Amino acid sequence: MKKLLSTLLTLSMLLAMLSTGAVYAASDAVQADADALTLDDILSVPSWDGNRLIDNLDLDCVTKGEVNQSPITWSSSNEAVISTTGIVTRGAEDAEVTVTATIGEGDDIASKAFTFVVPAASKSVNGMPIVTASKFEDTFSDAELNTSKYGKATPTSYDSVVEENGKMTLTRSQWTSGEPNIDVKHEYNGSLSTTAEFTLHSTSSYLRIAFVGYNWNGFPLYIHWYPKHNNISIGRGGVETDSAEAGRIPLPQSAKGGKAKFTVTIDAANKTYSVWVNNEVVIASNPYMESNAQKPYMIRFSTITSGWMYGVGSTAIDNLKIYESTPSDALTTLICAEKNINISDSIISGNNKYLTGEFVDLSTVTGSNGAAVSYTVSDTSVISETGKVTRALTDKPVTITATITAGGEQLVKNYSFIVPGKYNKIGKSSLPLIDKDYPVGYTVDARATDYLESYSEENGKISITSIYAANQEPGFKYTYSDNLKGDFVQDFVFSSNSKAMRARILDSNYSNKLHIYYLDNGTLAVSGTETVYHESSFTGKTIKLTLAYSMSTNTVDIYVDGELWLDDFALMAGSYKNIQYVWVSHHCASIMGAWRGGQGTTTFYSLGAYKTVDESAISSIMATDVAYSNGGTAAAGDNTATVTVVAGDSAGERGGMLAYAIYSVENGIKKLVGIDVVSLGLNKFAHKEYTAAINLKEAPANAQQQIFIWGDAGLTPVETSAFPAQ
């Protein structure tokens, strides 16, 4: 009887456990594998926006635990959207899906769940193209290279192309000649807008991605990818150096480590291309690399070992898709905003992209399709919220972030620059050095208002639109509160579609000194004692004029878009050797041999006036940007001071010393407790960062820290409070 009762009790306990879904605790080995499994392990592309997912997951590659190799199987709450192998299929509506990993086997198991939101297929993400028809797709899960889809070249025994572990992999194991490659022969050129997507994971330092025109008729796009440097370049020849980054386009930080998803749209109708990397826009609608190229019908992935191209290593290709597409509203707006933002006035120098203009137009707030545009600037002391550029004493990094919102989706693009210091003569080095704004105010008055359809002053710009007005000059007069004398610079940035725009530069007696003309056929001309026409056409462009005056000689140097056009151009005599007025108008009269109506719109983005630097007078060594460690308080242990030092004009290297001192102060008496001296050596207009260090056994009472600079003129110490203001 006791045996029967024991058996019944055991059965009842088992039934109770089954009915309540009891879970056995996993072993330490299985639990360790469960704990080690992370979201990054299954993402084929790093997450960019919380749990939103548009890319396939690597579930088919994650089948064993990282620590103890416990078996892992996958399940999905909605296999129509995310399959158990990780294939993502976007449906008609947004879908929330949970994928669950079961780690271990039998009763020794643990589980881990990951939840995602998969956006509807009709939605654009980060301005990416919208799929209209899928043409080709491969996840490389059959472990067999399909030669009807792919061509390959393995010219040496050191090269291989294989399909395994859910990837197609191109490998070059040793430096040698020849060019191993994989050709994706999608042979589809019927769509005017075709998008290719693929994920790359590379251990190589170089990979070339060529989009080949139909029947090898040109190349719409040639991408050179440098995984080690996390950047790309465009062109047949690439940027022929493996160490420098000049001329290259930086990629998002998420692409560091050689794992990147490329999305490339080729717009055959407009002969442009756009590129996203890891779902972030990198290039928005650039012209074809070769204008005569046909629509692409093949993509060639290749590597090479020759000179600067170090192609030793492997590159795995996965999640390859080719589809017809339409551009998103957000991308269309970004393309328009980029044209207006006027950031083209920049140059590449070394590893930096320098912004050399004095103005950036950040006024576009609404796209033609109703999309909203907003901008933020990382350092408003360098670029103001209205786009005015202020050059500090030393170079300053700055990032402009454009955010486009359309249809509930956002596209974000960052533009990163270095704004050169006021004494940094980089690139177009003939430009005058600007010291600071000319200390005068100004007023603006509309003129001939009966003929103005509109006049506005907002966001730092002045805009006029006028009707046809015979022998009238509707526009505006810009009056400085005092006249500009000596050596100074005026900086004009403007665009116009007027039949004839004229800017008259006048002295304090309202006498003409200089006339600037711009016509709707793209002609730019200036008139002083003679009239000179620029050889280029500027139709539809924003123009930057820099006028560097020397009133003692009544001449001006004229720069167009940063390049010297006219040197020592003679001004009209006028009444006085000064400037006080600028009259901008739509001039309806006989100009340059023909009658021209002045109707149209002109916008001036900048009418700046600046003092210039007498370069020959800059002979001192200056310092700025002093940064102390330990929150600016002297402490026991290591203390450092980092200082940026700038040299003035000199024939050769300038020498000097930097001293970092820490004092204790008791009863108003300073006592030196530590000092470090660093030698300086800088070329003309150069600037360098120096660090001095002091180690203290204990923190002094009422400590003070000071920096001194000894230049080569009189060896006079200069305290930080006496450094030139920026």
Side-chain angles (χ1 to χ4, degrees):
M1 186 67 178
K2 289 183 179 180
K3 185 175 182 180
L4 178 60
L5 289 173
S6 176
T7 302
L8 290 173
L9 181 60
T10 301
L11 287 172
S12 64
M13 290 174 64
L14 287 171
L15 288 170
M17 290 173 63
L18 289 172
S19 65
T20 58
V23 177
Y24 292 97
S27 65
D28 291 344
V30 168
Q31 191 60 50
D33 281 329
D35 293 341
L37 181 62
T38 67
L39 177 63
D40 289 340
D41 294 329
I42 63 173
L43 291 175
S44 63
V45 177
S47 176
W48 83 100
D49 185 12
N51 65 342
R52 286 211 299 175
L53 180 71
I54 61 173
D55 301 298
N56 292 341
L57 297 172
D58 282 339
L59 303 186
D60 57 337
C61 299
V62 182
T63 58
K64 290 184 178 180
E66 181 181 342
V67 180
N68 298 303
Q69 289 72 55
S70 304
I72 299 176
T73 57
W74 293 93
S75 61
S76 169
S77 64
N78 188 342
E79 293 188 28
V81 178
I82 304 179
S83 74
T84 56
T85 59
I87 304 300
V88 174
T89 304
R90 295 167 66 182
E93 303 289 341
D94 291 1
E96 183 174 285
V97 183
T98 298
V99 294
T100 302
T102 299
I103 305 100
E105 54 189 347
D107 293 337
D108 186 12
I109 59 173
S111 64
K112 199 161 196 176
F114 303 91
T115 300
F116 303 95
V117 174
V118 178
S122 60
K123 288 185 177 180
S124 171
V125 176
N126 283 0
M128 297 176 71
I130 299 169
V131 179
T132 56
S134 179
K135 292 297 175 182
F136 182 81
E137 188 168 348
D138 200 341
T139 59
F140 307 106
S141 57
D142 56 8
E144 183 177 346
L145 190 67
N146 188 332
T147 55
S148 66
K149 293 181 180 179
Y150 308 107
K152 66 174 182 176
T154 52
T156 77
S157 60
Y158 302 113
D159 306 320
S160 66
V161 174
V162 297
E163 183 175 327
E164 59 185 8
N165 300 321
K167 319 282 184 194
M168 180 166 60
T169 303
L170 170 68
T171 300
R172 165 152 282 187
S173 61
Q174 186 170 315
W175 187 282
T176 187
S177 60
E179 182 179 320
N181 60 62
I182 297 172
D183 291 337
V184 180
K185 300 181 289 187
H186 59 87
E187 296 185 1
Y188 182 74
N189 71 323
S191 174
L192 292 179
S193 185
T194 303
T195 296
E197 285 187 4
F198 42 85
T199 302
L200 304 176
H201 195 174
S202 184
T203 62
S204 172
S205 293
Y206 172 78
L207 185 76
R208 181 188 301 155
I209 309 162
F211 289 77
V212 183
Y214 189 69
N215 284 335
W216 287 92
N217 286 323
F219 295 89
L221 177 60
Y222 231 76
I223 299 175
H224 303 264
W225 181 36
Y226 312 91
K228 184 172 71 174
H229 300 295
N230 197 35
N231 51 34
I232 60 173
S233 63
I234 306 297
R236 286 288 286 272
V239 177
E240 297 188 4
T241 170
D242 186 53
S243 56
E245 299 179 9
R248 299 187 188 171
I249 301 168
L251 299 184
Q253 290 297 305
S254 62
K256 275 190 170 182
K259 188 174 183 180
K261 171 197 172 187
F262 285 78
T263 304
V264 180
T265 294
I266 305 291
D267 183 348
N270 297 303
K271 291 203 166 185
T272 61
Y273 63 86
S274 301
V275 180
W276 289 257
V277 174
N278 285 355
N279 302 319
E280 294 185 34
V281 64
V282 174
I283 300 171
S285 192
N286 273 12
Y288 269 16
M289 189 190 73
E290 295 179 355
S291 60
N292 63 340
Q294 298 296 308
K295 290 175 277 190
Y297 84 119
M298 186 174 78
I299 307 171
R300 169 167 285 188
F301 300 90
S302 56
T303 188
I304 194 168
T305 46
S306 176
W308 56 275
M309 294 176 287
Y310 192 81
V312 174
S314 295
T315 298
I317 305 169
D318 196 8
N319 298 320
L320 177 64
K321 301 177 184 178
I322 296 170
Y323 51 85
E324 293 180 30
S325 59
T326 57
S328 68
D329 286 345
L331 180 66
T332 302
T333 299
L334 178 66
I335 293 167
C336 294
E338 281 193 333
K339 292 178 181 177
N340 293 335
I341 199 172
N342 193 33
I343 57 173
S344 59
D345 191 11
S346 57
I347 63 171
I348 300 294
S349 178
N351 294 337
N352 298 314
K353 188 172 185 180
Y354 285 94
L355 184 65
T356 57
E358 274 72 54
F359 183 79
V360 178
D361 183 12
L362 303 179
S363 62
T364 301
V365 294
T366 304
S368 58
N369 52 11
V373 185
S374 63
Y375 303 99
T376 57
V377 180
S378 61
D379 188 344
T380 53
S381 69
V382 179
I383 300 180
S384 73
E385 294 176 350
T386 59
K388 177 177 170 55
V389 178
T390 301
R391 292 175 66 171
L393 188 61
T394 57
D395 293 1
K396 297 289 185 182
V398 64
T399 298
I400 300 171
T401 300
T403 302
I404 317 296
T405 304
E409 294 294 329
Q410 281 193 339
L411 185 159
V412 177
K413 186 173 182 184
N414 293 315
Y415 305 90
S416 296
F417 301 97
I418 301 292
V419 174
K422 63 175 62 176
Y423 301 142
N424 187 350
K425 300 202 75 172
I426 49 92
K428 304 163 185 174
S429 58
S430 61
L431 272 170
L433 290 174
I434 291 175
D435 182 24
K436 57 187 176 183
D437 289 357
Y438 207 105
V440 293
Y442 66 89
T443 57
V444 184
D445 302 296
R447 310 287 289 183
T449 55
D450 289 346
Y451 303 97
L452 284 177
E453 286 187 334
S454 66
Y455 170 85
S456 65
E457 294 179 56
E458 58 182 3
N459 297 321
K461 65 181 182 180
I462 304 171
S463 185
I464 57 173
T465 300
S466 69
I467 60 175
Y468 179 85
N471 297 313
Q472 298 293 325
E473 294 190 57
F476 64 89
K477 184 180 71 173
Y478 193 94
T479 305
Y480 298 107
S481 59
D482 196 2
N483 51 65
L484 311 181
K485 304 173 184 177
D487 294 341
F488 60 92
V489 167
Q490 281 182 306
D491 185 59
F492 298 165
V493 181
F494 68 90
S495 62
S496 179
N497 63 12
S498 169
K499 296 293 183 181
M501 186 280 293
R502 179 172 71 170
R504 295 169 61 192
I505 314 298
L506 308 159
D507 67 17
S508 57
N509 198 43
Y510 221 69
S511 300
N512 290 312
K513 302 295 285 186
L514 181 69
H515 288 181
I516 301 166
Y517 293 97
Y518 177 76
L519 309 182
D520 63 344
N521 63 5
T523 299
L524 176 68
V526 293
S527 288
T529 58
E530 60 177 324
T531 298
V532 180
Y533 298 85
H534 200 285
E535 61 185 13
S536 300
S537 173
F538 295 91
T539 302
K541 296 182 179 179
T542 299
I543 302 171
K544 175 191 173 188
L545 287 180
T546 303
L547 309 175
Y549 294 92
S550 176
M551 299 312 297
S552 61
T553 59
N554 205 45
T555 60
V556 61
D557 296 340
I558 302 177
Y559 302 79
V560 179
D561 292 337
E563 295 185 356
L564 182 64
W565 174 29
L566 300 172
D567 188 18
D568 291 332
F569 185 70
L571 299 167
M572 301 178 202
S575 300
Y576 300 106
K577 290 185 176 181
N578 62 43
I579 301 294
Q580 190 162 9
Y581 306 98
V582 179
W583 186 352
V584 176
S585 64
H586 290 167
H587 196 49
C588 185
S590 180
I591 301 173
M592 301 179 188
W595 182 268
R596 303 180 189 276
Q599 66 268 31
T601 299
T602 294
T603 300
F604 266 73
Y605 305 97
S606 175
L607 272 164
Y610 309 94
K611 288 280 193 179
T612 55
V613 174
D614 181 359
E615 297 178 23
S616 63
I618 305 172
S619 58
S620 62
I621 290 180
M622 297 165 284
T624 186
D625 297 345
V626 179
Y628 294 109
S629 63
N630 304 319
T633 302
D638 292 331
N639 297 269
T640 61
T642 302
V643 186
T644 301
V645 182
V646 183
D649 193 8
S650 64
E653 185 177 79
R654 299 184 58 78
M657 290 185 294
L658 178 149
Y660 169 39
I662 299 178
Y663 301 90
S664 65
V665 182
E666 296 181 13
N667 300 320
I669 300 174
K670 286 185 177 180
K671 178 182 179 182
L672 182 67
V673 296
I675 189 168
D676 187 27
V677 178
V678 178
S679 296
L680 307 176
L682 301 96
N683 293 321
K684 175 179 179 178
F685 296 129
H687 65 272
K688 294 181 182 178
E689 190 174 84
Y690 291 89
T691 298
I694 299 173
N695 184 277
L696 299 177
K697 290 184 178 180
E698 58 183 31
N702 301 318
Q704 290 186 3
Q705 303 180 86
Q706 286 185 301
I707 292 291
F708 299 86
I709 295 290
W710 277 268
D712 57 358
L715 296 176
T716 303
V718 180
E719 298 186 29
T720 55
S721 59
F723 290 166
Q726 293 193 42

